[in-house]
Amino acid sequence: MRGKLITLEGIDGSGKSTVAGKLQENPAIKAFEPVFTREPTKGTLTGDAVEKAIQSDTDQLAELFLFTADHAEHLAKIVKPALEKGKIVISDRYSDSRYAYQGITLKTHLENPLEWVKNLHRDWTIVPDLTFLFDIRPEVSIQRCGKRGEQSKFEKIEFLRKVREIFLRLAREEPERFIIIDASRSPEYIEKEVTEKILEFLSRN
Ligand code: ADP
């Protein structure tokens, strides 16, 4: 039987990586021997290219193609093989991050970037079985991140506000796939809620 793909999504500083780390140590989750992974992928040609692009002044469309190449590589090398073996895969960021972020960054290049980027993925991506959206106000998330990033605080908040709106829209469009998590609470509380929801999902599917 094909495994299950669970993704963690949300704006920068919403606490995805923190909770992913906690889930890796959580005995109830560990019992399923899940594969933990992330996008951009770590230590790969495509993942490194994405990291370099993010940190330099790369054209937004070029950046999208690097992210998309990394998604293809992630699917081919990690996600698909694990799902075929019947594994549970938990990914810290995945395709919805691209729809939400590039849905904003490509506004200067394209008329309807969200639909365009979704179409680009449609025929070959694997849609997650369950997605947690870590929802939080950007004012709070960037406070948590401190000096991460180079944009001014105001620009960053304005940008993340728009990205958050797209994430919420995606969640509204697919309520059966998304679970919205109030990410302003403590990491322990969020870990507990996410764990419960994962166990509930796995018992049903
Ligand atoms: P993301 O992976 O979503 O970008 P991180 O997990 O890296 O976010 O968290 C960003 C920062 O916020 C880190 O310094 C982390 O310790 C802190 N943090 C994460 N979750 C919480 C939380 N629930 N409450 C307060 N601070 C948090």
Side-chain angles (χ1 to χ4, degrees):
M1 202 180 78
R2 179 186 173 277
K4 297 285 174 220
L5 174 59
I6 299 172
T7 58
L8 311 180
E9 296 282 10
I11 60 173
D12 305 304
S14 56
K16 301 174 298 296
S17 308
T18 302
V19 169
K22 286 181 171 294
L23 293 178
Q24 291 192 47
E25 301 304 323
N26 184 309
I29 299 292
K30 263 168 105 172
F32 290 93
E33 298 180 6
V35 172
F36 282 92
T37 181
R38 55 165 274 188
E39 287 192 11
T41 56
K42 226 179 160 62
T44 61
L45 175 78
T46 52
D48 289 349
V50 169
E51 294 293 353
K52 277 190 190 154
I54 295 172
Q55 279 150 32
S56 63
D57 184 25
T58 304
D59 172 71
Q60 310 283 20
L61 199 51
E63 195 174 276
L64 165 78
F65 289 125
L66 291 174
F67 268 110
T68 308
D70 189 49
H71 185 58
E73 180 74 358
H74 189 213
L75 281 171
K77 300 287 168 59
I78 296 175
V79 178
K80 271 188 193 163
L83 291 177
E84 277 161 16
K85 283 186 202 137
K87 292 269 188 193
I88 312 290
V89 178
I90 301 181
S91 186
D92 178 358
R93 288 199 189 280
Y94 190 75
S95 52
D96 292 301
S97 278
R98 209 128 38 248
Y99 306 153
Y101 280 78
Q102 269 68 38
I104 299 301
T105 63
L106 290 174
K107 277 218 153 120
T108 49
H109 291 63
L110 302 163
E111 199 160 309
N112 188 348
L114 174 58
E115 276 313 305
W116 193 86
V117 176
K118 275 181 156 185
N119 282 334
L120 182 67
H121 287 70
R122 187 154 287 140
D123 291 343
W124 54 274
T125 191
I126 295 177
V127 178
D129 299 291
L130 179 67
T131 298
F132 290 96
L133 173 56
F134 284 55
D135 185 49
I136 193 162
R137 288 170 51 236
E139 289 83 349
V140 179
S141 77
I142 69 156
Q143 197 71 31
R144 287 180 181 175
C145 290
K147 287 200 180 347
R148 206 198 266 181
E150 283 170 5
Q151 279 168 307
S152 79
K153 210 168 175 175
F154 177 73
E155 279 177 2
K156 184 92 179 167
I157 289 178
E158 283 306 300
F159 173 68
L160 290 178
R161 187 172 290 151
K162 292 178 194 153
V163 174
R164 180 191 186 197
E165 271 170 30
I166 299 197
F167 270 130
L168 287 169
R169 196 197 312 170
L170 294 170
R172 275 197 301 274
E173 283 170 4
E174 286 184 77
E176 65 295 338
R177 170 160 75 90
F178 277 88
I179 294 178
I180 300 176
I181 297 289
D182 174 358
S184 65
R185 297 161 309 166
S186 76
E188 291 71 27
Y189 195 98
I190 298 168
E191 177 198 3
K192 188 167 169 279
E193 185 180 0
V194 169
T195 302
E196 278 170 12
K197 302 277 184 198
I198 291 178
L199 297 179
E200 196 184 300
F201 169 79
L202 293 177
S203 71
R204 274 188 286 116
N205 290 275

